[in-house]
Structure formats: structure tokens, C-alpha cells
Amino acid sequence: MRVPNWGLGWGTGWILWLMVGLAPGCGGGKKAAPPPAPFLSVTITPPGASLWTNGTQAFQATVSGSTNQAVTWSVLEASGGSITETGLYTAPGNAGTFHVKAVSAADPTKSAQVPVTVSVQPPAGACNGADLGIGASLHGFTAFPGDNAWNQDVSAAPVDPNSAAIIAFIGAGTGLHPDFGAGLWQGAPIGIPYVVVGSSSQAKVSVAFTAYGDESDPGPMPIPAAAPVEGGNTSTGDRHVLVMDRDTCLLYELYGTYPQGDGSWNADSASVWDLKSNALRPYGWTSADAAGLPIFPGLARYDEVAAGAILHALRFTVPTSRRAYVLPATHWASSNTSASAPPMGLRVRLKAGVDISAYPAQARVVLAALKRYGMILADNGSAWYLSGAPDERWDNTQLATLSGIKGSDLEVVQMGTVYTADPTGTAPAISTFTGPASIPSGASALLSWASTNATRWFITPELGWVTGTSATVHPTKTTTYTLLAEGPYGSTTKTVQVVVTP
């Protein structure tokens, strides 16, 4: 349809009138929209907390998009504890998971909340009562049961008939040497470090073996990416990594350990220990230590010396050991067959008549432990080197006085059976290892097994250490799982495949 031609003059005037009428401020059009209000949000730090009952945690709220930083604090659950107007939270006397909330005063529709897990504090000496972190205090926890060899009082045990010859072989005139202390030696902390983790928050990572995989316990293991390495990151020495999981009371020890860029680790060997059990790993197997022993239970730690007593035997080294071992050791690392050479696992104690009253406090606690519990030979190294964990609170001057104790002040505790060949017995057997033939994507699978003559079990990949007769896995693709069953007389494996369907 055509538009009539009303004439140029009239049409032009009408268009000008229309443009003027719609101009801003002339009453005929919409006003410009005001600038948008700044986006406001609330965040709380830390983003959560784990506390013992009646414990406290300070929280801080940040309001982004406003100069008004005021917030109103609250605890969502009626029985979840209390929080002050400044953000100091106090946990209740009961356990549970609760939530702390902060509401912005500038905009009450904006808020944030974070979870707080409250647990009943374990009694002193419980595994899960240990602190977290590198060199953390165990608060009285002692590794392994009270009747374990590391914890036996041998102050009244008989002296071995060959004691004098063995002491002379190691060095009767050589003094004790504390292989731990404060500060650095050749650029590295002095001693063998350890870290305490909680597996409820520390993810398990894979461990690839580069030397003694056939005598190692498989992962994954809860090893932090920043776990301390003996001798430091550039060390060319033993490079031990020791990790205690306070949630499961398991000890993970690695030798020749190197961190990888993806968070996993490479290691020459690794061993896992149940700190609530006396179960042995297979005879003839090495561990992270040459004697097949755990390292951590034999370390002198500052927290126990500060408490006034070391309640276990200590770890020590000698230049040359014997091709033999005595329990609790299960492995030798020598070709020397001399009866005067000390076998791995040999226990030496400080003679009862040696006066230690004049020694400074830190040295005196160490010497008192050597009288009561002695020290156990665990590795080849220097003569009479005592192992401990590094700590800046050690007094190196006090520790240096330990050199006043010579080999002649020591005696060998009666050894019992000296193994020059691995003892034999019935090896473990796995009668069944089963799981569902297939599961849909996103589902879990229950693996079950039955075995005999086994005391330790591992499932790879995904789980590592397991207990009981079943465990749940969560494969994201078709996976073949391997069950490793260990006992003192060997190990065996069995596999099962779980197919994951789309």
C-alpha cells in the first residue's frame, strides 16, 4: 500500500516536532536508566573448621561490593554452639556437623555459611588425638600395642653371652651420636622428618615403585604433595618419607622417594603398618628400612622428650651388620657372616650402673630410655648413630653430650633366635575374590573376598590398605582390581574385573 504524499514542508515539520518531543528532558520519552547497583556478596574465612567439643575457631566475613563490612553472625542449628558478634565460634559439648552463617548488614538478602565438624576429643594417648602437620605432637600416643617389641621394657632382661664381642665389633670406644637436632646440616634438617595427616581430608595418591616393588605394600597412600623428604628435596641420600594417618592409625613409610608433578610419588620401596597391631610383614621382605622394620616408632621426638619420657626403644645404625636378623627385624642387608657382627634387629641397652644424673635434661631423657627400652639395629650407617626427628626446639648442645656414652657403656640384650635363613610356614591363600559382573556408570561396586593365613590386605587400584572381608569401590570405567593378601610366610594375589556400562 502506498503512503500518501502530504507535501515536503508539512511532513518535514511533523518529523522535527516528533524528534523534539522525544528528546531527553522534553517530557516525551523515557529517562535514562540509573547505573546498576554494585554486586554484593559475602564470603567467610576459613571456609570450614574441624574442632573438638567445646573448642573455638575465629571466623572472618568479607563483604564485596560495599563499604559496609558489618555482618550478623549466627549458628543455624539450635545445639550447634555459639558465635560472638566478632565471629568467635565456640563448639558445643556434643559432636556433629553444624553451620556458621554471616548476613550482610548492607543487604540482608546476601549471606554465606560454612560447615563446622565437631568431634569428641580422644583421651590422651589415642591415635586420633595427635596433632596434624610436620613434626606434630602425638600427645602421648605410642605406636603399636604395649607388648610390641618396640615398647618392651628390657631393663631386667639377660645379657647376651656374645655381648662383649659384638660391642667391640661395633666400637667399644666410639661414643653415641644423636643423628637429629635443630637447624640445618649441609643445608638440610637434621634427622628423619614425619608428618601427621587425617585421611578424611588428605586425598590418597598413587605410588610407583622403582626398585623393590615386589617387597612393597601398594598404594594409593595419603601422602601430601609437600610431605617432608629426609635430607631435603635435593637430597641424594635415603630420602625417607614418613606419614602417619591419625584417622585410620596407619603408618606409611617410603624409601628413595621423589614427588611427581601430578601429586603422585615414585619410591624405591614402601611399607604400611597398622599401629594398633603386632602383625608382621612377610619374612625376608625389606621395608623403607634395611631391617624390614618401621622407622617412625624408633625416632626420638621432641614432644615426648618435652613431656619427660621416651616410652619406646630407639633406632640406631652400625657400619657393618651381619647376614642375619632377629625379631622384630625380618630382613638383613649384609654378606658378613661373622658371629661378632650384629644382626639386624639386635637390641642394645645402656648399662644400669652408668650414672646419667649430670647430663642435661634432653640428653638425660634419651639415656633413661636407653636403660629401659634400649635401641634396635635398623640399618647400616655410622656407629652408634641414634635416630630422631628434626625440631627447632632441640638443644644441639645438650644432645651433643650423648657422645660421652661410649660403646663400652652398652650391652647387648639376649637375642634369642638368630635367623640366617627366612623361616618357613603356610603361605596365604585367597579362596574367593568377587564383585558384580557389571555396574552402570556412576554406581559403586562391593568387592568381597575370603582368605587364609593372611593378616594384611590391599586392593589396587583405588583403595590400598583394606580390612575385613569386603570393600566398596567406585570405578569410572571398566577396571580390573587386584587383591594382595600378606602373611608372615609370603603373599598372594587374585583379580576381579568390574565392567562399567554407559
Side-chain angles (χ1 to χ4, degrees):
M1 178 178 179
R2 291 176 180 266
V3 177
N5 184 358
W6 296 101
L8 179 61
W10 187 90
T12 303
W14 180 81
I15 293 172
L16 290 174
W17 174 85
L18 184 62
M19 292 174 63
V20 171
L22 294 181
C26 296
K30 296 181 179 179
K31 294 182 178 180
F39 179 77
L40 190 149
S41 64
V42 182
T43 57
I44 299 176
T45 54
S50 296
L51 301 173
W52 301 130
T53 51
N54 302 309
T56 60
Q57 172 68 53
F59 289 100
Q60 182 176 358
T62 301
V63 181
S64 301
S66 174
T67 57
N68 185 355
Q69 295 293 303
V71 297
T72 300
W73 291 98
S74 64
V75 180
L76 297 186
E77 294 79 12
S79 60
S82 61
I83 191 166
T84 68
E85 61 182 12
T86 60
L88 180 62
Y89 172 78
T90 300
N94 52 285
T97 298
F98 310 108
H99 298 83
V100 167
K101 184 176 183 179
V103 178
S104 169
D107 183 353
T109 66
K110 298 298 189 293
S111 64
Q113 65 184 47
V114 295
V116 179
T117 301
V118 178
S119 304
V120 177
Q121 186 165 7
C127 189
N128 60 343
D131 290 339
L132 296 174
I134 297 172
S137 172
L138 303 192
H139 292 295
F141 171 70
T142 300
F144 299 119
D147 61 348
N148 188 273
W150 285 102
N151 305 322
Q152 288 178 356
D153 183 339
V154 295
S155 57
V159 178
D160 192 88
N162 204 31
S163 175
I166 294 174
I167 295 295
F169 185 93
I170 300 172
T174 304
L176 290 179
H177 179 86
D179 199 15
F180 58 95
L184 303 178
W185 172 253
Q186 295 183 342
I190 310 169
I192 303 176
Y194 66 91
V195 61
V196 179
V197 303
S199 57
S200 58
S201 57
Q202 173 60 53
K204 290 183 177 181
V205 299
S206 63
V207 178
F209 298 115
T210 53
Y212 307 105
D214 58 341
E215 296 181 11
S216 292
D217 298 325
M221 303 178 184
I223 306 175
V229 177
E230 179 190 11
N233 290 335
T234 61
S235 169
T236 57
D238 288 348
R239 296 184 61 91
H240 289 113
V241 169
L242 313 183
V243 179
M244 175 183 146
D245 178 2
R246 75 175 188 183
D247 291 346
T248 59
C249 216
L250 295 177
L251 173 65
Y252 299 83
E253 298 193 338
L254 293 81
Y255 164 74
T257 318
Y258 291 86
Q260 304 300 297
D262 60 356
S264 66
W265 292 76
N266 287 353
D268 281 357
S269 64
S271 54
V272 182
W273 305 88
D274 183 353
L275 297 177
K276 308 179 300 299
S277 169
N278 289 332
L280 291 174
R281 300 176 72 245
Y283 292 114
W285 279 24
T286 188
S287 62
D289 220 350
L293 291 166
I295 297 171
F296 179 71
L299 298 181
R301 306 189 319 273
Y302 179 82
D303 64 313
E304 53 192 349
V305 171
I310 295 175
L311 303 178
H312 56 82
L314 296 175
R315 174 186 184 271
F316 82 105
T317 64
V318 299
T320 304
S321 59
R322 183 179 172 186
R323 189 187 179 279
Y325 59 79
V326 296
L327 297 179
T330 59
H331 184 261
W332 59 70
S334 175
S335 59
N336 191 309
T337 58
S338 169
S340 297
M344 289 295 184
L346 174 93
R347 189 190 295 258
V348 175
R349 71 178 173 219
L350 182 60
K351 293 177 179 177
V354 176
D355 184 8
I356 63 174
S357 61
Y359 281 84
Q362 292 185 4
R364 192 165 61 249
V365 172
V366 172
L367 294 176
L370 292 183
K371 282 192 174 187
R372 184 175 180 183
Y373 301 98
M375 53 185 178
I376 297 176
L377 177 58
D379 199 0
N380 299 311
S382 299
W384 307 126
Y385 268 45
L386 283 172
S387 299
D391 196 293
E392 290 307 307
R393 295 167 292 181
W394 288 121
D395 186 322
N396 291 343
T397 301
Q398 290 193 33
L399 296 179
T401 63
L402 291 171
S403 63
I405 299 295
K406 307 301 181 183
S408 56
D409 296 315
L410 306 169
E411 59 192 3
V412 177
V413 177
Q414 191 169 52
M415 291 185 287
T417 303
V418 178
Y419 292 99
T420 56
D422 296 327
T424 58
T426 305
I430 301 172
S431 54
T432 61
F433 182 39
T434 60
S438 66
I439 60 171
S441 179
S444 60
L446 182 68
L447 306 182
S448 302
W449 63 89
S451 62
T452 56
N453 303 310
T455 57
R456 301 151 49 85
W457 300 266
F458 301 83
I459 290 179
T460 54
E462 187 177 341
L463 297 183
W465 171 281
V466 292
T467 58
T469 57
S470 65
T472 300
V473 293
H474 304 84
T476 58
K477 60 183 180 180
T478 298
T479 303
T480 297
Y481 290 95
T482 299
L483 172 68
L484 168 67
E486 294 178 1
Y489 299 107
S491 65
T492 188
T493 61
K494 201 174 186 68
T495 63
V496 65
Q497 185 183 69
V498 178
V499 175
V500 177
T501 59

